[in-house]
Structures are given as C-alpha cells and as structure tokens.
Amino acid sequence: MVNLHPEHRIQQGINNDGITDHADCDFQLSKPISVKSHARCAVRSAMIPLTFKNVVEGLNDRFIIKFTPTSSTDDDGSVFITVQIPVGQYDTITQLASAINTVLGTLNAAPANSGVLSATDGGYAYTHTASITTNAVLSDAMTCAVSTSAVSRDHLVFTLPANVVFGGTSVKSKDGSAIGATTLTTVPVIMFGVAGTKTNDVANRTAHKLIGYGKEKTLVKADGSFEQSPSTLTNIASSGARATTSDTLGQVLFTPYIYIRSNLARTTIETKNGGTRTTDIMAKVPVLTSGYGDLQFFQADTNPLFFELQDDEVNNINIELTDVDGKLLPLEQSEWDISIVFRGEFLS
C-alpha cells in the first residue's frame, strides 16, 4: 500500500514550490515499484476535506439577464446584464436565492464601483460594455425567490415587478442605442452566453447548475448564438408582474462527486462532448453534504475497482481531484489523504 499526502509531493519536502492548490500533486517513489506480472492497483481509502465554498469566484458565479422591451425586439435592441453571485457558502437553495436577490435588488440603482464586478461581493454590470454605468437599469428592483408551487417547487423564480420601465436614457441596448423609460412587456430572459464582444463575460464561470439550468444553455450554437430561457417570448401587460422560472431544480452542491484521477489508471471510459473517451478516473467519492469544512470519507468495499498497471516500473504517481466536469477542485492547501493498494507479482 502507498499512502499519499499533498505536503509530501515532489519538491515540497525540500523547498516550498509555491503551489497553494493541492488538487494536482505529483509524487516520486524513493523505491520504484517494479512489476513482474499481473500487477494491479486500486484506491483503498480517501479522506478529502471540503475546503471550497459552493459559489467560487471565477468558476460558477455568473449568469446573464436579457431585458427585451417587446417580443419583436432583437438582441441589438435588448439590454444585457451580467449578474455575479457573491462568493460564499450557501447551505440551502433559499440562502442562495437570498444572495441573488440582494444583487437583483440593486438593479434600480447605479452599478457599484462603476459597474466593476467585485471578486467577492458580486454585483451587476453591463455585459457588452463598461462605459454605461451612470444610471439604474430598471425603475424598480427585480427579485429572485424559491418557488413553493407544486408544479415548480424548489425552482428559482426571477420576477420583474409591475409597471417597471428602464432606468433612463443613459441605459443603452447592445447596439448602443438609448432605451429611455421604455416599458417592458416581456419576462426577463436568463442566459449563459451571448454573441459579440463582452466586457463582463460569463464563459467558463456560469452558474447554470446552481440556479437550475442544464449544460445545453451554456453551449454556443452554429450561428454563434446561445439558448435562452424562456426560448419564446410573448408580450404581457406591463401592469402585472412578469416572472421566469428556472428549467429545473436549483442546487447547492458544488459537485455531487469528487473524482480521483491518476496516471495509474488509463482504462476508464467517460462521456465527453457527445461521445466517449478513455480517461484516468480511479475512484468517485460521493459528496454527501455541502457544508464548508465537512470531511468526505471513501472506503473501498470488499471488491475494489482494480486497474492493470501499464508500465514495468512505477516511479511517479500523479493525483488530481476534480469535479464532475473534470475541473480541478479549488482545494487550496487542503490536507487530504489517499491510500492506493497494489496487488500482483513484483520484483524485490
């Protein structure tokens, strides 16, 4: 059995290597494992602390709201706002909705800090330009709440209040035209990507899983556009509140599994971009709680999953800890513990 700790990775035991994220570590064996025949390996046990919050700046903290004056208005005549959720740990969907609601509640005020989104406090800013920052986007605050309806329970609901209009002539559409105090007659549109040059982009940091949308909404289409929700708009009387409900459940788990990946495994198959590929997954650790600071334990059962060793000699072992999308977890300096068991015939 080989027991691995991130503080013992290559170079760290001699000189500080400057790496502060322990999600990707290389280890060098002082005595290589020399394979004679039929050698296999498996993850025997693991302990991984959750030292990351479920809303992480730069990873899953942004989405876009498109405000369209009428159902016949194209993108150039619409106003696009990038919303950034404040970084933090939200243990319930109600807490997450409250954090989003705090940001949406400022849409009837000028963007803070000239529309620059805060790394930790979130906020809103115009998606396509940083220059339109002097006025409120809306005449009244927008809201986000958790649905209690039997049809859409625990979905998030984004609502424009009755009689809301754009904040004034300093509010401009995507093409730079002045909107003025134009009455909105459509529901707010939730998106995770837009065409054109973006000052406040959401690429590779979309909050689609958190707020209840599928991966499909984040993918660019052949014409360069993105899906939107709802996909079809109809004009609704502005005298009533207009709401958009998320496609599916909001969720506060950053990832349902922690994937243990290693150069020792080369025969795992996982789906990728509409097909499959051979990858390096050795084990999946279920994340049973979402609490910051919780410990996740994994203990292989009586029939652990073994992988045939491909090399005659094992000198180095690489361990990567990722989420379900294959992204390295923001573990910072977490002191995890992983044990790998080797079986077979080895040279002494």
Side-chain angles (χ1 to χ4, degrees):
M1 187 174 72
V2 176
N3 209 48
L4 304 172
H5 301 274
E7 66 269 28
H8 301 147
R9 64 191 182 277
I10 293 175
Q11 295 299 324
Q12 185 64 20
I14 303 173
N15 298 302
N16 191 327
D17 59 8
I19 298 174
T20 58
D21 191 340
H22 290 176
D24 184 359
C25 293
D26 291 307
F27 302 90
Q28 187 173 48
L29 301 182
S30 57
K31 183 180 180 181
I33 299 174
S34 298
V35 176
K36 186 176 180 181
S37 64
H38 305 298
R40 301 175 299 158
C41 65
V43 173
R44 180 69 182 88
S45 63
M47 184 281 294
I48 305 170
L50 297 185
T51 55
F52 51 88
K53 300 174 176 65
N54 52 8
V55 176
V56 181
E57 193 269 332
L59 288 183
N60 65 339
D61 59 346
R62 287 185 177 181
F63 63 97
I64 293 171
I65 303 176
K66 181 176 78 168
F67 298 105
T68 304
T70 70
S71 61
S72 60
T73 306
D74 60 12
D75 278 2
D76 283 344
S78 302
V79 176
F80 291 83
I81 297 298
T82 296
V83 175
Q84 186 164 312
I85 306 170
V87 170
Q89 176 65 31
Y90 304 100
D91 292 330
T92 66
I93 191 63
T94 299
Q95 291 178 1
L96 176 64
S98 177
I100 298 172
N101 192 57
T102 298
V103 176
L104 299 186
T106 64
L107 283 169
N108 62 336
N113 303 316
S114 299
V116 177
L117 298 175
S118 168
T120 56
D121 297 330
Y124 81 87
Y126 290 84
T127 303
H128 293 93
T129 177
S131 62
I132 312 173
T133 58
T134 59
N135 217 46
V137 175
L138 303 175
S139 62
D140 200 355
M142 187 177 171
T143 61
C144 174
V146 180
S147 173
T148 58
S149 164
V151 176
S152 58
R153 186 177 299 277
D154 290 335
H155 293 227
L156 293 184
V157 181
F158 302 88
T159 304
L160 282 171
N163 301 312
V164 67
V165 297
F166 283 112
T169 55
S170 67
V171 178
K172 292 182 172 60
S173 61
K174 178 183 175 182
D175 64 5
S177 302
I179 289 289
T182 306
T183 301
L184 284 157
T185 63
T186 62
V187 299
V189 174
I190 306 299
M191 302 181 69
F192 301 95
V194 292
T197 302
K198 281 85 65 178
T199 298
N200 296 293
D201 203 354
V202 300
N204 300 315
R205 59 188 300 178
T206 58
H208 62 284
K209 290 182 181 179
L210 284 169
I211 64 175
Y213 293 89
K215 182 74 172 181
E216 293 80 5
K217 294 292 171 68
T218 72
L219 303 177
V220 62
K221 296 190 289 187
D223 61 358
S225 64
F226 289 78
E227 295 287 351
Q228 61 183 33
S229 185
S231 57
T232 302
L233 293 178
T234 57
N235 293 329
I236 304 171
S238 60
S239 57
R242 279 136 296 139
T244 295
T245 302
S246 65
D247 293 348
T248 186
L249 297 172
Q251 59 176 305
V252 293
L253 274 180
F254 182 83
T255 178
Y257 288 95
I258 294 175
Y259 285 63
I260 300 176
R261 300 174 183 266
S262 176
N263 60 317
L264 298 173
R266 303 173 189 175
T267 55
T268 304
I269 296 176
E270 62 179 314
T271 56
K272 185 71 173 180
N273 295 332
T276 60
R277 66 171 184 175
T278 301
T279 61
D280 53 2
I281 298 173
M282 283 194 76
K284 293 169 60 176
V285 179
V287 179
L288 302 178
T289 64
S290 62
Y292 178 64
D294 288 346
L295 298 177
Q296 303 302 308
F297 291 94
F298 171 82
Q299 191 77 25
D301 57 22
T302 55
N303 295 301
L305 182 62
F306 278 91
F307 294 87
E308 297 287 337
L309 291 178
Q310 304 297 313
D311 299 326
D312 294 333
E313 191 169 81
V314 178
N315 294 283
N316 297 284
I317 298 175
N318 169 257
I319 296 292
E320 290 185 357
L321 302 176
T322 75
D323 64 9
V324 295
D325 295 319
K327 294 181 179 179
L328 290 173
L329 293 174
L331 288 177
E332 299 177 352
Q333 299 182 62
S334 300
E335 299 302 330
W336 48 259
D337 183 295
I338 293 176
S339 295
I340 299 176
V341 63
F342 293 82
R343 289 183 180 174
E345 295 185 58
F346 304 94
L347 298 176
S348 58

